[in-house]
Amino acid sequence: MEATTQVKPQIEESWLNVLKDEFDASYFSDLKQFLVEEKQKHRIFPPGKSIFNAFNHIHFDEVKVVILGQDPYHGLGQAHGLCFSVPKGVQHPPSLVNVFKEIQDDLGIPYPQSGNLEPWAKQGVLLLNATLTVRAHQAGSHQNKGWETFTDAAITALSQQREGVVFLLWGKYAKAKEELIDTTKHHVLKSTHPSPFSVHYGFFGCKHFSKANAILRENSRPEIDWRVE
């Protein structure tokens, strides 16, 4: 029992139970070994204690909305385990700037000072990147190492075991995850990515934030307060 406690992942208990088979799988052992070797040679983001941050704010049964990202930010001090989010005091990356602009246009919420999206997470928004780690200053450097298998399993578990979750799929990569979602049980809203390269082709004006709240309201679930401190 003692050995099991020592290797227990730093992830909220309900998710640990749901994803137990993933932690026990051979691909996850390979992923852990890869990360051990990476840390010996490179700086890795986010810090180890923040890798599962997206899960640690929300009980599995309390997820109401899922926003899918691809990679953690790879700049110093940016990534803290929530997609699109940065810690308070860190300059807002361009995609996050556009997310806040859309919220302002959609709901009239003033553009915030902080880019920390933890207030959303605490209300039931799963801010999940497909890949949960990255090498400093090298975007995509930890793709295809096993993280996608793990996060796909999380999406699949939500699809199979829950009902009425609202999935916000922004951009081609996120839209491809729709195949994991039972759309007869859940709600999917799709647009282009909020990146400056694609934001004018469907993200601006998508009104996903008010639409998500309308869906929650229609299903007698508490709406999300999309304000950030």
Side-chain angles (χ1 to χ4, degrees):
M1 289 298 292
E2 186 177 350
T4 302
T5 302
Q6 290 175 348
V7 299
K8 183 178 178 180
Q10 295 182 358
I11 188 170
E12 194 271 337
E13 197 71 26
S14 65
W15 288 100
L16 182 63
N17 293 333
V18 168
L19 298 172
K20 182 182 184 302
D21 289 346
E22 305 307 311
F23 290 115
D24 292 339
S26 60
Y27 84 84
F28 202 85
S29 296
D30 294 341
L31 173 60
K32 287 193 291 185
Q33 183 59 37
F34 166 74
L35 292 173
V36 167
E37 294 172 1
E38 276 283 283
K39 289 178 182 178
Q40 292 172 351
K41 304 173 186 175
H42 306 284
R43 190 165 191 172
I44 304 303
F45 299 135
K49 64 181 181 180
S50 299
I51 289 174
F52 295 110
N53 226 9
F55 303 99
N56 287 337
H57 289 291
I58 315 170
H59 191 283
F60 177 79
D61 291 335
E62 295 175 350
V63 175
K64 296 187 286 188
V65 177
V66 178
I67 299 177
L68 296 177
Q70 187 167 359
D71 247 12
Y73 296 124
H74 54 82
L76 181 65
Q78 291 181 310
H80 66 138
L82 305 176
C83 72
F84 293 103
S85 180
V86 291
K88 190 173 183 178
V90 175
Q91 183 176 353
H92 301 176
S95 291
L96 182 59
V97 170
N98 290 331
V99 168
F100 286 146
K101 286 180 177 179
E102 175 58 22
I103 290 173
Q104 187 172 20
D105 181 68
D106 185 10
L107 296 170
I109 295 173
Y111 191 101
Q113 288 189 332
S114 174
N116 188 336
L117 305 182
E118 285 183 6
W120 299 0
K122 291 174 181 177
Q123 296 176 75
V125 181
L126 180 65
L127 297 160
L128 183 64
N129 277 314
T131 303
L132 298 187
T133 57
V134 69
R135 187 185 298 175
H137 313 301
Q138 295 190 38
S141 49
H142 287 187
Q143 292 177 5
N144 302 314
K145 302 297 183 181
W147 278 130
E148 295 91 341
T149 303
F150 178 80
T151 54
D152 280 1
I155 297 168
T156 300
L158 284 168
S159 176
Q160 293 178 347
Q161 300 179 38
R162 295 286 314 285
E163 290 187 13
V165 176
V166 184
F167 290 84
L168 307 185
L169 307 183
W170 301 338
K172 183 178 179 181
Y173 188 88
K175 289 176 185 176
K177 301 295 183 180
E178 186 176 10
E179 66 181 22
L180 303 173
I181 302 165
D182 184 346
T183 55
T184 67
K185 295 168 56 182
H186 301 282
H187 310 274
V188 175
L189 301 176
K190 295 180 284 188
S191 79
T192 60
H193 195 275
S195 158
F197 300 105
S198 56
V199 69
H200 293 286
Y201 297 97
F203 183 80
F204 279 159
C206 71
K207 300 191 180 300
H208 278 186
F209 305 96
S210 61
K211 288 178 180 178
N213 275 349
I215 292 168
L216 293 172
R217 188 167 59 247
E218 289 165 7
N219 289 275
S220 302
R221 304 194 70 192
E223 298 177 32
I224 304 298
D225 182 352
W226 295 106
R227 290 175 293 180
V228 176
E229 297 174 359

